[in-house]
Amino acid sequence: MDERTLRQADRVLSIGTWLIVFGAVVFSVLTVTPLVHGVTPEGWGWTAPILPIVVDAAVVIVVRLDAALARVGGQAGGWPVLLRWMTGLMTLGLNTAGSWLKGDAVGVAVHAVAPLLLIVSSEASLAYRRALTAAVARREAEQAAEKAAREQRQRDREQAERDREQRRIDAEERRAREEREHAARLAREEREHQERLVREQAEREREREALRLEHERQAREQKAREAEQQRLAKERAERERERLQAEERARREQQARAREQAAERRREQLLAVGPAKVKQEEHIARETVAAAFEADLSVRQAAELCGWSVGWVNSRYTEMRERVLAGRAS
């Protein structure tokens, strides 16, 4: 039996058991309630359904817990058995008591069907579940054993493959080592031959090198003398250039100071005039606005000085701010 069949059997058993429990509980409540109502004191008839509900709740608890324990293969001892039979016998007695008190043998037999079916189905479902649990456990054990055997075979194949690969690597390493030793021996002999040639060549080179060094020393001394003369001439030219640059900077600074003083006087003249009675010409108005901008006057004050509109002055202020920002960015 495969795992799918086992699960289907467990599902069928669960559905059938709960259908029997549901039918027996409903039948028991409908049968026992009139009996309990007949022996209940006057005014307490509304409590009649409580007793069958309590007994049937115990039956549901027993069936549910037995199913859970059976799935995990657990054992709860003798108390669950006692509870199962006690609730079953209570259900049987309560369901048949009314007919038995009336002496109705057929009624006793009819009302005993549901309780007896509930008792037997509970015991049978428990046995079925234990058998299914054992079958599932055996199936899982067989699958685990098969998996372990497959893994062992795979490990054996992998180990054999590793052994073959290791032997191949060892053989290749041995061949490579022999080739390296042979190549090293040839290289050593070639190196020794080359070293002899090099030593002979070195002797000849040392002689030529001595002559070359002597010529180079003389050439360096000549170059040093020429370089010293060039350095002195360059220093004189550098000092002359620095003197001329210093004079040019002084002249430019003097001119810049003169321009700044003239511009400052012009600004003071423009600002000292006061509010314009008539609108200034545009080029004079631009100078007035520039002077006001540099003096950090407001747009309205600059407009009063030049006689132009506040909007026109504000546009000139915006242009001058943009030029200042562009100059800082550059």
Side-chain angles (χ1 to χ4, degrees):
M1 184 179 295
D2 57 10
E3 183 176 356
R4 181 180 178 182
T5 304
L6 292 174
R7 293 185 183 278
Q8 290 177 349
D10 182 71
R11 189 179 301 111
V12 171
L13 179 61
S14 298
I15 294 172
T17 301
W18 285 112
L19 287 176
I20 294 172
V21 170
F22 177 76
V25 166
V26 173
F27 185 79
S28 177
V29 171
L30 296 177
T31 302
V32 176
T33 298
L35 176 65
V36 177
H37 188 274
V39 296
T40 301
E42 186 177 358
W44 291 90
W46 59 272
T47 63
I50 295 177
L51 179 61
I53 291 173
V54 170
V55 175
D56 294 336
V59 173
V60 172
I61 291 172
V62 169
V63 173
R64 183 70 183 86
L65 292 180
D66 284 345
L69 285 175
R71 283 193 179 93
V72 298
Q75 295 289 339
W79 286 105
V81 177
L82 176 62
L83 178 61
R84 190 164 58 247
W85 278 94
M86 184 176 69
T87 53
L89 293 176
M90 286 180 179
T91 302
L92 177 63
L94 290 172
N95 276 272
T96 60
S99 299
W100 183 76
L101 292 174
K102 295 177 183 180
D104 185 2
V106 176
V108 171
V110 170
H111 287 89
V113 172
L116 290 176
L117 182 61
L118 178 62
I119 294 171
V120 175
S121 64
S122 298
E123 294 294 332
S125 66
L126 180 59
Y128 281 135
R129 289 187 186 280
R130 288 174 177 171
L132 289 173
T133 301
V136 170
R138 287 194 302 272
R139 179 64 177 172
E140 291 177 351
E142 291 174 357
Q143 292 176 348
E146 292 176 358
K147 182 179 179 181
R150 287 195 303 271
E151 291 177 352
Q152 183 61 39
R153 288 192 297 270
Q154 181 65 25
R155 286 194 295 270
D156 293 340
R157 285 194 297 270
E158 291 175 354
Q159 184 62 38
E161 184 65 25
R162 285 195 295 269
D163 292 340
R164 286 193 298 271
E165 183 66 19
Q166 186 62 40
R167 288 193 296 271
R168 185 185 62 79
I169 293 173
D170 293 341
E172 291 179 354
E173 289 179 351
R174 184 170 58 255
R175 286 194 299 271
R177 185 170 59 253
E178 293 174 353
E179 291 175 356
R180 287 195 301 270
E181 291 175 354
H182 179 68
R185 184 171 61 256
L186 295 177
R188 185 171 59 254
E189 294 174 355
E190 180 66 20
R191 187 171 58 253
E192 291 174 353
H193 176 68
Q194 292 295 331
E195 287 176 354
R196 286 194 300 273
L197 296 178
V198 168
R199 284 194 297 270
E200 295 173 357
Q201 183 66 24
E203 291 294 333
R204 294 190 294 270
E205 289 293 333
R206 278 195 295 271
E207 294 175 358
R208 289 195 295 268
E209 184 67 17
L211 295 175
R212 187 183 62 79
L213 291 176
E214 180 62 23
H215 292 309
E216 289 181 354
R217 183 184 64 78
Q218 295 175 359
R220 283 197 300 271
E221 291 177 354
Q222 181 64 26
K223 288 181 180 179
R225 287 192 297 270
E226 294 175 356
E228 181 64 19
Q229 293 173 358
Q230 291 176 359
R231 185 183 64 79
L232 293 175
K234 191 179 294 184
E235 288 180 355
R236 286 192 298 270
E238 184 66 25
R239 285 194 296 270
E240 181 66 20
R241 187 171 58 256
E242 291 177 354
R243 184 182 64 77
L244 293 175
Q245 289 177 352
E247 292 177 356
E248 180 65 20
R249 284 196 299 272
R251 184 180 64 78
R252 289 179 181 176
E253 290 175 357
Q254 185 177 2
Q255 291 176 354
R257 285 195 297 271
R259 286 195 298 271
E260 290 178 358
Q261 291 173 358
E264 183 64 26
R265 287 193 298 271
R266 176 64 176 166
R267 285 195 298 272
E268 291 176 356
Q269 291 174 1
L270 292 173
L271 297 177
V273 172
K277 296 181 176 59
V278 295
K279 188 176 181 180
Q280 294 179 347
E281 296 181 3
E282 185 175 356
H283 69 279
I284 298 175
R286 285 181 179 274
E287 293 181 1
T288 303
V289 171
F293 179 79
E294 293 179 359
D296 201 16
L297 298 181
S298 65
V299 174
R300 185 171 295 280
Q301 290 174 333
E304 292 175 354
L305 290 174
C306 67
W308 285 67
S309 66
V310 174
W312 184 84
V313 174
N314 186 55
S315 299
R316 304 292 82 73
Y317 264 46
T318 302
E319 294 173 356
M320 287 183 283
R321 289 192 190 97
E322 291 176 352
R323 286 197 294 272
V324 170
L325 293 175
R328 292 178 180 174
S330 59

